[in-house]
Amino acid sequence: MQSFPMFIRTTGREVVIVGGGEQAAQKARLALKTDACIRVVADELDPELAGLASKGRVEQVRGEVSPEVFRDSALVFVATGCPGADVAFHGLAKAAGALVNVVDRPELCDATTPSIVDRDPVVVAIGTEGTAPVLGRLIKTQIETLLHPRLGALSALAGRLRYAVQKSVPRDARRAFWAWVFKDEPGLLFRQGEEDTAIRLVKAAIKRGGAPTDAGKGHIALVGAGPGAKDLLTLRAVERLQEADIIFYDRLVDPAVLELARRDAERVFVGKEVGASFWPQEKICSLIVREAKKGRRVVRLKSGDPSIFGRAAEELRSAARAGVPTEVVPGVTAALAAAATTGTTLTERGATDTLVLATGRCRPGDAHPDWAHHMRPGTTLAIYMGVQSAASVAQSLGAHGLSSSSHVVVCADVSMEGEKRVETSIADLPCALARAGISERAIIFVSIPKSAARRRAA
């Protein structure tokens, strides 16, 4: 390393920023995240800095500048935008013994500003020693997805309660206590926004002298993996994958999504081939409950959203009967992803004001859904898992009175590299799917604009 990574204490100290323009304002935004007193050296300030000065957030220093302006400061940023002035102010700051950063002049920098992931008081800094700032920002984005937005609040709570823990919890029980706070029920409640409940739990545990005797109780999270692309997962979904001890995943979950899980998490494939029953639902329900009752954090990873044609209700009921706590983490469902990747919308003011999500596949022995029932003017119908039932869909809609030439859009492998889009008519739907080689993992869209009703009335 050419630079030693460390954090500079700012409490009771000054950060001095030289310059009154946009570059100086950028540094002020960064410094305002700390508790330092901020001094801005400039005769004129841009509107943002002037507003901060008027509110007393920063102190403006005008006129002649001497080394005394910089003495005993925690850090000096030089950002005048003028190469000659930058060098001059750098010399003055160094004469005062200050730690200096000159914007866009790495040869004049004692310290460089990293990309920061801020979960105050938890802070992650990413530096590339000035070689690749864009890469630093990309890494920052990845880390942002791994750290929950409420992590800082949980860490701050731990700091406030540390003395109480030292007083009431025996030394040899403290590690287990803090592991319970951060990894088990209190941490989970915090992440779900139930901070008051989490705090009451932690304080009660401190009063008892340690973590509950049932600490490490298992948990099941039904996590939506989205339509395929791993960058469409929610931050919470990534977090649950990082926390999981064991992951039960479907056949349609992309392998790249599983790479986001921690390396030592056990992975169990429970996919079901169409028409096969190697993993009947009852067996899956039994397995995830059994693993949770061992005290493990279980993720049931489902393509799309767990609550949309994902049989989540059966798994939730099984967990409830066994007394296992559960959580549902929503995912981007295929209809939304298809609209996004094709640049279309599922509703449109004045044209379509109703969106219906239907399935093309039901339990064995059940009749097909009544797709035609939903097709009224102003409606977009999205049929999931409808490829195998395409002929029945076309027949049902045609019998309802839709013209055989009505427009149909089919999106397959949505958000994936091999994504396909087929536009056809109701009459030609089964043949069009066969020609395109689409046999599954597709969604069928049929829309009837409101104008259709007006035409019929005329």
Side-chain angles (χ1 to χ4, degrees):
M1 295 188 298
Q2 296 179 358
S3 302
F4 184 76
M6 64 185 301
F7 291 90
I8 302 170
R9 183 169 294 279
T10 56
T11 302
R13 305 181 69 188
E14 292 183 347
V15 169
V16 181
I17 302 170
V18 183
E22 172 57 28
Q23 287 185 332
Q26 292 173 5
K27 298 305 180 185
R29 291 174 211 140
L30 190 62
L32 284 167
K33 292 178 178 291
T34 74
D35 58 356
C37 297
I38 303 169
R39 306 180 75 189
V40 179
V41 179
D43 290 334
E44 295 184 5
L45 302 179
D46 83 346
E48 181 179 356
L49 290 172
L52 291 170
S54 69
K55 295 176 182 177
R57 301 292 303 283
V58 305
E59 175 191 351
Q60 183 178 7
V61 178
R62 296 183 175 91
E64 187 175 344
V65 179
S66 69
E68 289 303 313
V69 172
F70 308 104
R71 201 169 303 282
D72 296 327
S73 58
L75 181 62
V76 173
F77 290 108
V78 179
T80 68
C82 171
D86 283 349
V87 172
F89 283 114
H90 171 267
L92 291 172
K94 291 304 296 177
L99 192 68
V100 185
N101 173 279
V102 182
V103 175
D104 294 334
R105 297 290 296 274
E107 74 280 6
L108 297 179
C109 290
D110 301 313
T112 55
T113 52
S115 295
I116 294 175
V117 179
D118 186 3
R119 300 289 188 274
D120 184 30
V122 177
V123 178
V124 180
I126 305 107
T128 61
E129 296 189 337
T131 61
V134 172
L135 176 60
R137 289 192 290 272
L138 291 173
I139 296 171
K140 165 186 163 68
T141 301
Q142 293 176 330
I143 295 177
E144 287 279 8
T145 67
L146 301 178
L147 302 183
H148 195 278
R150 295 191 180 94
L151 177 64
L154 180 57
S155 178
L157 172 67
R160 295 193 299 272
L161 295 176
R162 184 163 296 278
Y163 174 75
V165 171
Q166 290 173 348
K167 184 178 177 181
S168 302
V169 179
R171 181 184 295 273
D172 59 359
R174 290 174 196 166
R175 181 181 294 275
F177 173 83
W178 288 119
W180 169 72
V181 169
F182 292 122
K183 296 173 63 177
D184 290 333
E185 191 172 7
L188 178 62
L189 289 168
F190 236 90
R191 290 187 292 271
Q192 292 176 340
E194 299 179 43
E195 297 184 10
D196 291 342
T197 304
I199 291 170
R200 286 195 295 271
L201 274 179
V202 174
K203 289 183 176 180
I206 293 173
K207 189 174 181 179
R208 287 193 304 269
T213 55
D214 63 347
K217 185 179 181 181
H219 174 268
I220 297 173
L222 307 185
V223 177
K230 68 177 183 179
D231 57 352
L232 288 179
L233 265 72
T234 64
L235 296 179
R236 188 175 297 180
V238 175
E239 186 177 67
R240 295 299 175 270
L241 288 171
Q242 288 284 317
E243 296 170 344
D245 296 310
I246 185 168
I247 301 166
F248 294 90
Y249 65 98
D250 282 348
R251 177 174 56 91
L252 297 181
V253 172
D254 190 86
V257 171
L258 291 171
E259 291 301 312
L260 296 172
R262 63 190 180 97
R263 293 188 180 277
D264 57 343
E266 186 178 349
R267 295 158 171 81
V268 180
F269 171 71
V270 292
K272 290 180 267 189
E273 298 293 334
V274 177
S277 57
F278 299 110
W279 283 95
Q281 188 61 46
E282 296 77 10
K283 182 179 180 181
I284 296 173
C285 291
S286 175
L287 274 174
I288 63 176
V289 168
R290 185 180 71 188
E291 292 299 322
K293 293 189 78 171
K294 293 178 183 177
R296 306 184 80 184
R297 288 164 295 184
V298 178
V299 162
R300 176 70 173 97
L301 190 61
K302 298 169 172 286
S303 61
D305 181 277
S307 63
I308 298 179
F309 309 123
R311 303 190 72 170
E314 296 162 71
E315 293 166 358
L316 290 171
R317 283 195 294 268
S318 295
R321 285 195 295 267
V324 175
T326 58
E327 175 190 13
V328 177
V329 180
V332 176
T333 190
L336 305 182
T341 58
T342 57
T344 58
T345 62
L346 298 176
T347 61
E348 182 178 354
R349 187 177 182 183
T352 51
D353 52 20
T354 302
L355 172 64
V356 177
L357 307 182
T359 180
R361 190 162 66 230
C362 297
R363 291 182 304 180
D366 283 0
H368 284 306
D370 187 2
W371 302 293
H373 171 76
H374 305 291
M375 293 311 297
R376 296 178 173 85
T379 300
T380 295
L381 173 64
I383 303 175
Y384 289 66
M385 300 174 287
V387 174
Q388 302 299 319
S389 306
S392 298
V393 169
Q395 182 180 12
S396 172
L397 296 180
H400 182 68
L402 264 70
S403 169
S404 60
S405 61
S406 294
H407 189 239
V408 179
V409 177
V410 181
C411 295
D413 295 321
V414 174
S415 80
M416 304 298 290
E417 187 175 344
E419 179 177 293
K420 296 179 182 178
R421 176 178 176 174
V422 173
E423 298 190 34
T424 184
S425 64
I426 288 177
D428 194 43
L429 176 60
C431 294
L433 293 174
R435 289 193 299 269
I438 297 174
S439 58
E440 58 176 345
R441 201 180 172 104
I443 187 165
I444 300 170
F445 293 101
V446 185
S447 293
I448 304 180
K450 285 185 174 182
S451 57
R454 293 192 291 269
R455 288 195 298 270
R456 290 177 183 176

